[in-house]
Amino acid sequence: TSVTKTTMTLIKCISLTALLSGAGTAIADSTDNVSSRLQVHVPQSLFRPEGYDHREALFGVPPYGGAIAQSVYYADSDLCDPTVDTRKGYPIRSKDSTGKMEPWPSPFILMVDRGGCSFVQKVRNAQKAGAAGAIIADNTCLCSDKDCVSANGQAVCQPAEPIMADDGSGGDISIPSFLMFKVDADQVKAELKSNQMVQIEMQWALPSPDDRVEYDLWTTPSDPVSKDFQKNFKAVAQALGSHAYFTPHMYIYDGIKSNCQGFDGENMCFNLCTNNGRYCATDPDNDLDHGISGADVVKESLRRICIWKHYGETDGVGSEWWDYVAQFLERCDNPDFFANDDCAKDCYKHAKIKADVIERCMKDSGGLEKDTPNTFLDLEMQAQVSRGVVILPTAFVNTIALRGGLTTATVFTGICNGYLDGTEPKICTECQGCPDFDGCISSGKCHGGKGGGGVSKNAFMGSILLLSCAFGAVAFWHYRKTREEMREQVRGILAEYMPLEGDDGHVGSPMDFARRGGTEGLMS
């Protein structure tokens, strides 16, 4: 019995490894949907009308709809050491009073060599050095570029440029970065090493903008990173209304390609897969014998697909879908209730979803038993390959993957930047950049002003009015005081030099005239 248990555990571990390695291959072979543009403006000899081939990092926060066009400095380093010497590199700068070369003047784009450490580490160090963006210069030729291979005498070449994936620690990176092909990067470095200035533009765009934005979310029911987003985004989806169309996607591993289905149709990956090894998911708690299994994740994925088909696909908002996910995360997101059907039914009830409709959808699509294909799960696997999903979770806006942390504000900003100019809904113009973002979404109006510390229009006009009243009061007081002083001077002059005679022959005091307020003429 002990030997049998050990053998089964070993088989499970081997199967899990096969699944993960197969998934890794699928990710490496996926397409890189480049939404960006890389161009050299200075010197003119390096300008290309079509721009330069490159790879965009899957981390950092690009300014979608904008561009960064700055002078480039070559660090002459792989930038793996967190202590960056900003006084090195090219072009050569003048020396300061200490006799050292001046640091790279901000703002600038920093070019660094590939190799030695991860892309994330290089870009993080470039960010710490003050760079507005980073260009990684590849150090290996493409095998298809025979001229590059021949010119560099490289015995090793690469069949394709690597994907600049996040190593899991890139959440703190805010600057964008590109990987520039070796044959092109060498030309830029040659210019910089000859002490010539180079200006590069990094540009991002959301394709085919119109008056409606399509956005997707790729995740899994067990993904911990997207949970807060899924809890909080319902209000934004409702506020955008018909101006945006949402589609949730569940990431499913192809068990057949991952060798989880044997030649006789047997499930070789056990509780990681359903349908005899056709559809699989990784084990969330890394315990193959206890807790949530991969098959449980696949089942919950199919359930959410069906909920969207019946309660969200028509309007692209899916309020019930958001409600169900929020209820599930609150009630069932733990090893004891994740696979509990009664817990799922309780979530149906609170989200006002008809349980029989969803259960019938899951069954009619092909179910999760036996060696039979499931139509909805097959469509999800096809979509993830064509879309080029390489990291989870990922949000797409107009087919372009958003970089940076998956937060409500980040996705909202990406959606608002995806509209054709002048067609964005009022909620975008009102709430984008509002410090009280949640309050603005719920009320449709930004209270407290935009721009992080700015003032609202009403507050500004009120301040202007208050200042105007204050200056008016001071001016009036000054006028009254000056008038009284002038009258006192006039009275003094009259009292000293101009004794007057009244109509009755009485010689009166000039002060009598002054006291009467000057209502009588000085000359009778």
Side-chain angles (χ1 to χ4, degrees):
T1 304
S2 177
V3 173
T4 303
K5 184 176 180 180
T6 303
T7 302
M8 291 298 293
T9 303
L10 178 61
I11 291 175
K12 289 181 180 181
C13 291
I14 293 174
S15 300
L16 177 62
T17 303
L19 174 63
L20 293 178
S21 62
T25 302
I27 290 174
D29 292 340
S30 63
T31 57
D32 183 12
N33 292 328
V34 176
S35 63
S36 51
R37 178 181 174 86
L38 177 62
Q39 182 61 274
V40 177
H41 291 293
V42 179
Q44 183 65 27
S45 59
L46 295 184
F47 177 83
R48 294 180 183 176
E50 71 281 5
Y52 282 81
D53 289 331
H54 63 285
R55 289 291 178 267
E56 182 181 351
L58 302 184
F59 52 87
V61 185
Y64 290 105
I68 298 175
Q70 298 295 339
S71 297
V72 180
Y73 289 90
Y74 174 47
D76 195 20
S77 165
D78 57 18
L79 223 68
C80 291
D81 189 340
T83 304
V84 180
D85 187 354
T86 61
R87 297 178 182 271
K88 288 179 57 180
Y90 299 93
I92 301 296
R93 282 88 64 202
S94 58
K95 294 183 179 180
D96 60 17
S97 58
T98 65
K100 296 181 179 180
M101 188 162 60
E102 292 182 348
W104 304 313
S106 297
F108 63 92
I109 296 173
L110 191 62
M111 174 173 276
V112 302
D113 293 323
R114 179 189 171 191
C117 58
S118 68
F119 292 123
V120 171
Q121 187 172 342
K122 293 175 184 290
V123 178
R124 179 183 291 112
N125 291 336
Q127 177 175 296
K128 290 180 179 178
I135 302 291
I136 309 298
D138 202 353
N139 56 5
T140 306
C141 296
L142 289 172
C143 296
S144 59
D145 191 343
K146 303 300 182 183
D147 293 337
C148 179
V149 174
S150 176
N152 289 273
Q154 292 186 337
V156 178
C157 60
Q158 56 190 3
E161 291 291 339
I163 295 173
M164 293 184 68
D166 191 342
D167 63 3
S169 66
D172 61 329
I173 296 177
S174 60
I175 67 171
S177 55
F178 291 161
L179 175 71
M180 197 172 192
F181 293 12
K182 176 176 172 57
V183 65
D184 301 323
D186 286 349
Q187 296 182 59
V188 174
K189 288 194 291 185
E191 287 288 331
L192 294 171
K193 284 185 173 183
S194 63
N195 296 320
Q196 301 298 318
M197 288 304 303
V198 175
Q199 187 185 72
I200 282 182
E201 181 180 31
M202 306 166 72
Q203 186 179 30
W204 296 263
L206 296 175
S208 305
D210 52 26
D211 60 353
R212 192 182 84 161
V213 167
E214 291 76 35
Y215 65 108
D216 309 348
L217 173 66
W218 282 89
T219 184
T220 67
S222 59
D223 171 46
V225 178
S226 61
K227 289 180 181 179
D228 286 342
F229 173 81
Q230 293 182 82
K231 287 180 182 178
N232 301 324
F233 201 76
K234 175 191 172 183
V236 178
Q238 291 178 324
L240 291 168
S242 61
H243 295 282
Y245 188 94
F246 173 62
T247 304
H249 289 284
M250 301 293 120
Y251 195 96
I252 306 295
Y253 289 97
D254 189 333
I256 296 177
K257 289 184 178 180
S258 301
N259 300 317
C260 283
Q261 188 178 72
F263 294 108
D264 57 355
E266 183 182 358
N267 183 0
M268 303 299 294
C269 291
F270 301 96
N271 63 357
L272 293 176
C273 307
T274 64
N275 303 70
N276 281 36
R278 283 179 175 270
Y279 311 107
C280 308
T282 55
D283 191 302
D285 42 29
N286 295 317
D287 187 342
L288 296 173
D289 296 313
H290 305 92
I292 305 170
S293 68
D296 295 336
V297 175
V298 174
K299 182 178 180 179
E300 179 60 25
S301 296
L302 180 59
R303 179 180 285 120
R304 295 188 186 186
I305 292 171
C306 281
I307 293 173
W308 180 257
K309 291 289 182 183
H310 287 274
Y311 291 91
E313 197 171 58
T314 301
D315 63 2
V317 176
S319 297
E320 293 86 354
W321 186 90
W322 292 105
D323 286 338
Y324 170 81
V325 173
Q327 289 292 330
F328 186 91
L329 291 174
E330 180 181 348
R331 301 171 184 273
C332 311
D333 190 31
N334 58 72
D336 294 329
F337 295 102
F338 191 96
N340 188 299
D341 290 336
D342 290 335
C343 189
K345 290 178 181 178
D346 193 32
C347 295
Y348 290 154
K349 180 180 178 180
H350 285 84
K352 299 180 180 179
I353 290 173
K354 295 181 179 180
D356 59 331
V357 173
I358 304 306
E359 298 302 322
R360 185 169 59 251
C361 170
M362 294 174 67
K363 183 178 179 180
D364 292 346
S365 63
L368 297 169
E369 306 296 332
K370 302 180 181 179
D371 184 17
T372 57
N374 185 289
T375 303
F376 291 158
L377 297 181
D378 282 336
L379 289 174
E380 288 297 277
M381 291 193 302
Q382 294 170 15
Q384 70 197 32
V385 172
S386 62
R387 181 56 58 87
V389 180
V390 295
I391 191 170
L392 294 177
T394 295
F396 288 82
V397 174
N398 288 350
T399 74
I400 299 305
L402 295 182
R403 312 305 182 201
L406 184 67
T407 65
T408 299
T410 299
V411 176
F412 176 74
T413 300
I415 292 171
C416 290
N417 288 337
Y419 291 100
L420 184 68
D421 288 343
T423 66
E424 60 274 3
K426 184 180 178 181
I427 196 71
C428 285
T429 56
E430 188 67 32
C431 297
Q432 201 172 0
C434 181
D436 182 16
F437 178 76
D438 294 335
C440 184
I441 291 296
S442 61
S443 66
K445 192 173 184 63
C446 183
H447 299 284
K450 296 184 179 181
V455 294
S456 66
K457 182 178 179 180
N458 290 338
F460 177 75
M461 295 304 297
S463 300
I464 293 296
L465 181 61
L466 182 62
L467 288 174
S468 299
C469 292
F471 280 116
V474 172
F476 182 72
W477 172 80
H478 182 70
Y479 164 75
R480 290 290 302 271
K481 181 180 179 182
T482 303
R483 182 183 176 191
E484 287 297 325
E485 290 177 349
M486 292 180 65
R487 291 182 62 183
E488 288 295 331
Q489 291 177 7
V490 170
R491 289 169 183 168
I493 294 172
L494 292 175
E496 185 174 355
Y497 297 107
M498 299 178 64
L500 299 177
E501 180 179 354
D503 292 337
D504 57 358
H506 172 70
V507 179
S509 170
M511 293 304 296
D512 293 336
F513 170 81
R515 292 190 186 98
R516 290 194 295 270
T519 56
E520 299 179 5
L522 288 175
M523 302 296 294
S524 58

